[in-house]
Each structure stands twice: as C-alpha cells, then as structure tokens.
C-alpha cells in the first residue's frame, strides 16, 4: 500500500469512527467549480486586488460603486458555475451521518452557496452569503434577486445603501454563526479542514481548538498550510478528487 492510499484508508476510518464531525471549508473547495480562491499567487483575488479596497466597510464607504460592482460580479460567477464532486461528497457524507444518528456540522467561509446547491443542509456560513444583501441603515435583509444593479450603488428604501451581507475585514462574525461554530468545534470528535489556507480568524483557530478538546484532525488541501504539520492525517491534492475517493472507501454514494 502506498503512503497516499494508506492515508486515504486512515482518513476513511477516522470518518467512520466519528460520531460528531465538523467540516470547515474555504475557497479551495470551490476552485474546481471555476471560482478563484483568495491567496493563490496567480489567480487569487488578493493577487489582483487589494482586500482593503474591496472587503472592508471603509472601502464601501469610500467607493460604494466599485465594491457593489465587485460583489455583484462575484455573485454572477457563483450563480453561473456548478458545485463540483467535492461539494457533492460533503453533502452525501452529511446525509449519511445524519441517517446513522450521528452529526456533521458544515462550517464554510465561502459566500458562494455551492454547498447548499450540492445538498448540504444547516450550513454555518461564517462569512455570510453573497445571495443576501442588507440596508446599511436598518440592517434589513433581502435576496439579491430582489435588487436591480442597473444603477449602483443601490439606494435602500430607508435612505441607506444596499451592501452584501458578508463579513468584511474588521467586522464581527454574526453571533449565531459564531456560537454555532464554537459549540460544534468544542464538541466534535473529528475536525476536517478542506481547502482553506487557515489564515483568517476565527476559522484559522478552529482546528487547534478542536484538537485541544481531543478531536482527531484531518486536512484535505492542494498545498501545505500552517495546519499540515499538526493534523493526524493530511491528504494533499484537489478536494474534488480526494473527497469522492474517501466516500467510495466508505461505500457511500455521492448524490451528484
Ligand atoms: P485562501 O485563498 O486563503 O486559501 C485557499 C486554500 O485552498 C489554499 O490553501 C489552497 O492551497 C487551497 N486549494 C486551492 N485549490 C484547491 C483544491 N482544488 N482543492 C483543495 N484545496 C485547494 O481561501 P480561504 O482560506 O477560504 O474572507 O480564505 C479565508 C478568507 O480569506 C475568505 O473567506 C475571505 C478571504 O479574504 C473575506 O473576504 C473576509
């Protein structure tokens, strides 16, 4: 057995043994759908644009047209691509665990809605959703489908502007998402990190936190991350290939 295939078998066994699983995903899980990650040196958003000019409240206040257009562009990209086999594998695994009377909490830093389109439920969207926008004055939310982007920025009915309901740098994670993920991370017996560079808090600390509370840890990533050296098993490669392989080791059919 090669190292890679024995690690795959170990990963599958860890998942089979766990009663309470947390999966944390980042932009890497959507890369094979055709969405750019943030920190890829060539294709990543932050290799082309300055996050401080696009993903902060100050940036929005300084140039609401630019920020609105960028998030609307990201929405159209997310809407027009399809979930990939990695998303479907996670959806199928969650369904399987639930049917076994066990739990799988999916926490994502992604705002693209692809997990839900691949069957995942109760997704904890830590950084919000690009599908939901809100008024800067009242915080009242609406679906992006109710908005017209013909004139931007978009005035709200209450004298504010409509902004994406995502968490920008310098903003707090919403209490509900924060507390759901905190509880799940503290109580899981297996923590799986998929396609995240593990560099943005609070998600960056979740793996260490889970480990500190006795959980087994698994990482699936194309490249090494700050967590690679501390996890029980690290599987290196694209999540859209590795996750389906794990599922087939477990004899679970993906609902793609
Ligand atoms: P990053 O761009 O920081 O990291 C993506 C990770 O996915 C990297 O470790 C890649 O090596 C890995 N990767 C790329 N393609 C992959 C593939 N096909 N399969 C598996 N892994 C792959 O994205 P995040 O970690 O999600 O926040 O970034 C976290 C936050 O920083 C984002 O939510 C966003 C960003 O700034 C805000 O905008 C507030």
């Amino acid at each position: 057995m090669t190292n890679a295939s024995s690690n795959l078998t170990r990963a599958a066994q860890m998942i089979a043994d766990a009663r309470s699983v947390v999966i944390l995903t980042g932009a890497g899980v959507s890369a094979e759908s055709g969405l750019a990650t943030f920190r890829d040196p060539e294709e990543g958003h932050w290799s082309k644009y300055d996050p401080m000019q696009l993903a902060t409240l100050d940036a929005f206040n300084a140039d609401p047209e630019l920020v609105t257009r960028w998030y609307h562009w990201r929405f159209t990209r997310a809407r027009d691509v399809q979930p990939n086999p990695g998303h479907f594998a996670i959806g199928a695994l969650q369904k399987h665990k639930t049917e076994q009377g066990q739990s799988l909490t999916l926490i994502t830093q992604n705002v693209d809605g692809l997990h839900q389109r691949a069957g995942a439920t109760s997704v904890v969207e830590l950084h919000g959703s690009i599908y939901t926008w809100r008024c800067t004055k009242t915080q009242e939310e609406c679906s992006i489908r109710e908005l017209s982007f013909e004139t931007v920025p978009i005035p709200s009915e209450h004298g504010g502007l409509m902004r994406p309901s995502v968490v920008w740098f310098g903003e707090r994670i919403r209490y509900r998402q924060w507390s759901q993920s905190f509880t799940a991370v503290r109580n899981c017996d297996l923590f799986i990190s998929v396609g995240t560079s593990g560099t943005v808090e609070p998600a960056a600390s979740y793996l260490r936190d889970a480990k500190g509370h006795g959980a087994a840890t698994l990482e699936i990533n194309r490249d090494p991350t700050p967590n690679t050296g501390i996890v029980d098993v690290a599987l290196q490669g694209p999540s859209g290939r590795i996750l389906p392989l794990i599922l087939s080791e477990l004899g679970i059919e993906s609902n793609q």
Side-chain angles (χ1 to χ4, degrees):
M1 211 188 261
T2 63
N3 232 354
S5 70
S6 72
N7 272 346
L8 201 74
T9 307
R10 272 181 75 197
Q13 193 58 51
M14 283 159 79
I15 293 173
D17 292 344
R19 297 192 54 77
S20 170
V21 180
V22 167
I23 298 185
L24 169 70
T25 65
V29 80
S30 296
E32 288 151 87
S33 292
L35 297 183
T37 64
F38 293 92
R39 294 177 180 78
D40 185 276
E42 273 153 37
E43 297 298 324
H45 293 303
W46 301 154
S47 71
K48 298 182 178 152
Y49 313 110
D50 177 357
M52 293 305 126
Q53 288 179 355
L54 287 170
T56 68
L57 184 58
D58 283 349
F60 182 75
N61 288 335
D63 195 342
E65 181 180 342
L66 174 78
V67 175
T68 302
R69 284 196 193 286
W70 192 65
Y71 277 92
H72 180 246
W73 170 74
R74 285 188 53 202
F75 158 72
T76 60
R77 292 285 304 130
R79 180 197 60 193
D80 295 345
V81 301
Q82 299 304 322
N84 67 57
H87 296 111
F88 282 107
I90 291 173
L93 186 59
Q94 187 186 46
K95 184 164 173 269
H96 173 81
K97 282 288 182 193
T98 310
E99 283 167 359
Q100 303 274 307
Q102 301 172 345
S103 78
L104 189 157
T105 304
L106 175 58
I107 306 172
T108 187
Q109 297 163 91
N110 300 344
V111 297
D112 58 30
L114 289 177
H115 282 303
Q116 291 89 333
R117 284 170 57 196
T121 55
S122 308
V123 183
V124 182
E125 293 182 301
L126 207 59
H127 291 172
S129 168
I130 208 162
Y131 281 78
T132 305
W133 286 54
R134 68 172 189 261
C135 166
T136 50
K137 255 200 177 156
T138 62
Q139 311 308 322
E140 202 180 309
E141 291 189 329
C142 73
S143 160
I144 192 168
R145 299 190 195 277
E146 293 169 47
L147 301 175
S148 160
F149 287 80
E150 266 170 33
T151 346
V152 290
I154 306 165
S156 77
E157 287 170 12
H158 307 282
L161 292 176
M162 297 306 294
R163 58 159 283 181
S165 218
V166 299
V167 180
W168 282 326
F169 289 106
E171 293 186 322
R172 273 171 196 248
I173 304 286
R174 290 222 173 151
Y175 179 75
R176 185 150 170 265
Q177 281 74 8
W178 177 83
S179 95
Q180 283 175 336
S181 43
F182 181 85
T183 307
V185 167
R186 290 280 160 115
N187 293 303
C188 68
D189 48 27
L190 173 63
F191 185 95
I192 309 176
S193 171
V194 184
T196 175
S197 60
T199 47
V200 176
E201 294 294 351
S205 298
Y206 286 172
L207 188 139
R208 278 173 197 276
D209 205 5
K211 193 177 166 71
H213 282 80
T217 50
L218 167 62
E219 181 182 65
I220 300 165
N221 209 297
R222 195 193 60 185
D223 307 301
T225 75
N227 287 324
T228 307
I230 65 161
V231 291
D232 296 309
V233 174
L235 295 171
Q236 198 171 334
S239 48
R241 185 170 62 81
I242 291 182
L243 284 162
L245 286 175
I246 296 179
L247 249 68
S248 84
E249 283 264 335
L250 290 165
I252 301 170
E253 250 183 61
S254 198
N255 49 1
Q256 190 171 358

